[in-house]
Amino acid sequence: MTTTAPAAADVRKDSPGAAARDPRRPGRIRRIGLPYLLLLPALFLELLVHLVPMVIGIVMSFKELTQFYIRDWGAAPWSGLRNYRMSVDFDAPVGEALLHSFLVTIAFTVLSVGLCWLIGTTAAVYMQETFRGRGLLRALFLVPYALPVYAAVITWVFMFQHDNGLVNHVLHDQLHLTDKPSFWLIGDNSFYALLTVSVWKGWPFAFLIVMAGLQNIPGELYEAAALDGAGRWQQIRRITLPSLRPVNQVLVLVLFLWTFNDFNTPYVLFGKTAPAAADLISVHIYQASFVTWNFGTGSAMSVLLLLFLLVVTGVYLVLTSRGRRTSDV
Amino acid sequence: MSSQHASPMAPPRSFLWSRRIFLTLLTGFVLLPVYVMVSSSLKPLADVTGKFRWLPSGLTLRPYVDIWSTVPLARYFVNSLIVAGVATVASVVIAVFSAYAVSRYDFRGKRVFTVTVLSTQMFPGILFLLPLFLIYVNIGNATGIALFGSRGGLILTYLTFSLPFSIWMLIGYFDSVPRDLDEAALVDGCGPLGALFRVVVPAAVPGIVAVAVYAFMTAWGEVLFASVMTNDTTRTLAVGLQGYSTLNDVYWNQIMAASLVVSVPVVAGFLLLQRYLVAGLTAGAVK
């Protein structure tokens, strides 16, 4: 439906060159085909790596796929909705564990995204104007984000060690805050350990995005506000934060999706089986699939997770887009 | 750039003091693990097996020598370099083509394409890990092209992971390059591809660098697919680094040295190019 007007525009703006080079029709066909040709590699890869596997994953969730059928997964018997019923039967062990993992993941994600956003925004606003050492500080702050996940997280694993770690050395030996050295990577403390690492690793991304967003705020706004007698704090509240709204809309969504789906951090921090208090959903599903060799149930859980994320994203976009001008793409 | 000086008025003391306190605390939080990594990598083994020490009892470069023989780190390093390097180049080229098509042409299915590509960002990796594994194995059986366990399979996977964000960011960036420029090139007799490579790409260098940095970091740091889709000869650093801790003794000083060594290429590259990253994000993603 949208093709007629822009196509006409294309012909118009091309006509000086096109008329001289080519007869009209072949040129037009080539021009209409070109965008698809340009998109072809991306389309092929998205199909191969993202979309077809997703469809197969959905098919697998309706199958009784245990290790006996892994060589020829097509031969696995259909199981209807059994995998789904099992996943959401919260009175049985499998469903109960999934629900627990889901709730842990929600609590973790909300706290982590909130803290990452808060720290990142505060730092970016404080560093909006130049001061001595700002460039160095900015580079330093980006280091956690630039470090490969496994290198950064394994350093935290060392710091959280019971006997030879820095955290217990400081809290117990030096500050005497605890009666005896605590365990950080097993038991209830593991939630806070995971949260700490996640925030440490994630906040620079928020910092980076907000910093970029701040550069798009016109300086005249501040000058006008200053002429009106608005102080620094008022300028931040009246100009900076409202101007960041569109940036925040995308930033919070991206942070949410990345944190919710994060596999690398808990996997390197805890290994294949996470402690119950920090049993994030992605590791939980990985465990349900690869450790217990039950791929059908694992797939059903993944599909449920995807549905949840789709709904949340949809609702979020509808709610936050209200009152904003709708822009393309 | 005008917003660099946010206000013509000098900031109040409350602002300066709270800024000083906040940034100092944050610097401590950020640097603590970096300090642990660097200092522990220079410690003798006794220092990292006993109680934590802020200062080493003696400095040694021994861990930096031993890391190469405890596990075949050099091989993992080369594997990671090949995988991340090829994935980055391919991802950038493909993203440039796609973003150019979306930014400069109107065609049927454009919105479907951008929305689909972006929505793959919310897929949990775990959902397509096993299906992708099955696809690669089946392609291998059918055509003889070994994708599973090979670097090629990992390259395909990683380059697709970085595509959605890269395309999205470059669309924004290309949109900010005035159309008059490539229309002038078209009038001068360049084909559409000539206009892309002679006009749009040079004008979008910061955005392209930013995308390349992102793609390289994605490939260099991924753990989940690397741990399932590689074997002994194609293992990358993400998995290889765990080799130091599965042995009976945990050589924490070597782990820290190896972590530092594998981090240097990305961190150095990132910090050198971060100016472009901010510029690229400013013009592209957050506009």
Side-chain angles (χ1 to χ4, degrees):
Chain A
M1 346 144 231
T2 53
T3 45
T4 46
D10 265 357
V11 170
R12 183 178 45 77
K13 74 189 175 210
D14 268 6
S15 47
R21 278 201 318 271
D22 276 325
R24 225 198 191 108
R25 275 188 68 85
R28 273 200 61 188
I29 289 170
R30 209 180 53 208
R31 290 190 55 79
I32 292 169
L34 186 67
Y36 296 109
L37 210 61
L38 289 170
L39 290 181
L40 204 61
L43 256 151
F44 170 75
L45 285 165
E46 287 299 336
L47 279 174
L48 176 78
V49 177
H50 277 142
L51 300 174
V52 172
M54 186 184 74
V55 173
I56 295 182
I58 293 174
V59 172
M60 275 165 41
S61 70
F62 295 103
K63 290 205 160 208
E64 185 74 52
L65 196 59
T66 52
Q67 72 265 43
F68 305 112
Y69 298 103
I70 197 64
R71 275 176 195 285
D72 185 14
W73 71 282
W78 293 96
S79 62
L81 288 171
R82 185 147 13 115
N83 287 324
Y84 288 92
R85 268 204 298 274
M86 199 162 137
S87 304
V88 296
D89 180 4
F90 302 134
D91 296 327
V94 173
E96 199 190 351
L98 184 68
L99 182 65
H100 174 260
S101 163
F102 178 72
L103 295 176
V104 166
T105 312
I106 291 206
F108 163 76
T109 307
V110 168
L111 285 173
S112 176
V113 171
L115 285 169
C116 285
W117 178 84
L118 191 66
I119 298 174
T121 305
T122 312
V125 169
Y126 273 138
M127 291 169 72
Q128 193 178 3
E129 63 191 297
T130 36
F131 56 85
R132 209 145 46 88
R134 185 180 77 146
L136 177 71
L137 214 51
R138 190 164 90 171
L140 271 184
F141 284 172
L142 292 175
V143 166
Y145 179 64
L147 280 171
V149 185
Y150 43 90
V153 177
I154 217 163
T155 308
W156 279 100
V157 173
F158 178 44
M159 291 164 68
F160 281 129
Q161 289 298 302
H162 181 260
D163 298 325
N164 53 349
L166 171 142
V167 175
N168 275 344
H169 179 64
V170 171
L171 294 184
H172 181 72
D173 303 345
Q174 294 190 313
L175 298 175
H176 308 288
L177 291 175
T178 48
D179 297 336
K180 53 181 192 297
S182 329
F183 287 97
W184 292 100
L185 299 177
I186 49 175
D188 289 345
N189 285 337
S190 56
F191 182 83
Y192 302 103
L194 179 63
L195 186 63
T196 307
V197 180
S198 170
V199 171
W200 183 83
K201 189 93 188 77
W203 80 267
F205 179 75
F207 172 64
L208 195 66
I209 298 290
V210 174
M211 207 161 51
L214 287 176
Q215 308 219 331
N216 285 338
I217 304 177
E220 299 91 70
L221 281 183
Y222 291 106
E223 281 155 30
L227 284 180
D228 288 347
R232 177 60 55 106
W233 294 112
Q234 268 187 318
Q235 290 176 22
I236 291 174
R237 210 173 57 233
R238 300 262 170 81
I239 300 172
T240 312
L241 295 180
S243 305
L244 284 174
R245 269 196 63 185
V247 176
N248 282 332
Q249 187 200 16
V250 179
L251 172 63
V252 169
L253 180 64
V254 171
L255 276 177
F256 169 79
L257 291 173
W258 284 354
T259 313
F260 205 95
N261 285 329
D262 191 14
F263 176 88
N264 297 336
T265 309
Y267 184 75
V268 180
L269 201 55
F270 304 118
K272 284 192 166 71
T273 11
D279 189 20
L280 294 195
I281 195 103
S282 51
V283 179
H284 186 85
I285 297 176
Y286 177 86
Q287 222 240 340
S289 319
F290 282 88
V291 180
T292 63
W293 289 92
N294 196 339
F295 294 105
T297 315
S299 300
M301 292 175 178
S302 306
V303 173
L304 289 172
L305 173 59
L306 180 62
L307 286 177
F308 170 76
L309 293 175
L310 275 173
V311 170
V312 170
T313 307
V315 169
Y316 175 84
L317 286 177
V318 168
L319 286 181
T320 54
S321 297
R322 230 176 247 166
R324 260 194 80 199
R325 263 184 301 125
T326 45
S327 60
D328 264 307
V329 183
Chain B
M1 286 297 122
S2 56
S3 62
Q4 296 269 320
H5 305 280
S7 162
M9 284 197 320
R13 294 179 73 102
S14 62
F15 180 82
L16 291 178
W17 271 105
S18 61
R19 177 171 78 186
R20 214 164 283 163
I21 294 168
F22 177 82
L23 292 181
T24 308
L25 289 175
L26 193 57
T27 309
F29 179 51
V30 166
L31 281 187
L32 193 61
V34 178
Y35 173 77
V36 169
M37 195 193 278
V38 175
S39 66
S40 304
S41 73
L42 296 167
K43 286 174 181 173
L45 188 60
D47 277 18
V48 289
T49 46
K51 277 226 170 303
F52 180 84
R53 304 176 61 107
W54 284 99
L55 296 171
S57 62
L59 290 177
T60 170
L61 286 174
R62 194 77 220 160
Y64 285 92
V65 179
D66 292 340
I67 49 174
W68 306 96
S69 52
T70 310
V71 303
L73 190 67
R75 191 203 304 153
Y76 301 153
F77 212 100
V78 171
N79 285 336
S80 276
L81 269 181
I82 294 174
V83 169
V86 176
T88 301
V89 173
S91 173
V92 167
V93 172
I94 293 171
V96 162
F97 282 141
S98 306
Y100 183 65
V102 173
S103 167
R104 290 302 196 259
Y105 293 93
D106 273 295
F107 53 90
R108 214 175 273 271
K110 173 160 141 175
R111 214 176 150 71
V112 175
F113 174 80
T114 46
V115 169
T116 310
V117 166
L118 263 187
S119 65
T120 60
Q121 280 294 78
M122 77 176 77
F123 289 7
I126 192 78
L127 171 61
F128 46 89
L129 175 63
L130 183 72
L132 196 59
F133 158 81
L134 291 173
I135 290 175
Y136 283 179
V137 169
N138 281 321
I139 289 179
N141 290 344
T143 64
I145 305 170
L147 286 176
F148 177 69
S150 75
R151 296 189 199 102
L154 217 50
I155 289 171
L156 278 184
T157 315
Y158 288 167
L159 93 88
T160 314
F161 282 178
S162 52
L163 268 186
F165 183 78
S166 304
I167 293 175
W168 179 57
M169 189 156 143
L170 283 180
I171 290 173
Y173 212 96
F174 287 177
D175 280 347
S176 73
V177 176
R179 271 157 189 261
D180 302 353
L181 288 179
D182 37 319
E183 271 161 32
L186 286 170
V187 170
D188 287 347
C190 287
L193 289 183
L196 169 62
F197 284 112
R198 290 200 205 140
V199 178
V200 181
V201 167
V205 165
I208 291 173
V209 172
V211 163
V213 171
Y214 171 76
F216 192 86
M217 283 173 48
T218 304
W220 193 263
E222 205 280 336
V223 179
L224 173 59
F225 286 71
S227 61
V228 177
M229 300 238 243
T230 55
N231 58 31
D232 279 344
T233 47
T234 56
R235 191 140 297 159
T236 55
L237 290 168
V239 193
L241 222 61
Q242 291 164 21
Y244 295 98
S245 35
T246 54
L247 305 171
N248 285 335
D249 297 301
V250 183
Y251 301 112
W252 280 111
N253 51 351
Q254 286 191 45
I255 296 177
M256 291 299 106
S259 297
L260 201 69
V261 168
V262 308
S263 301
V264 163
V266 261
V267 175
F270 185 87
L271 294 184
L272 278 176
L273 301 172
Q274 51 127 339
R275 254 175 341 110
Y276 290 100
L277 198 65
V278 175
L281 286 167
T282 308
V286 303
K287 195 167 39 83

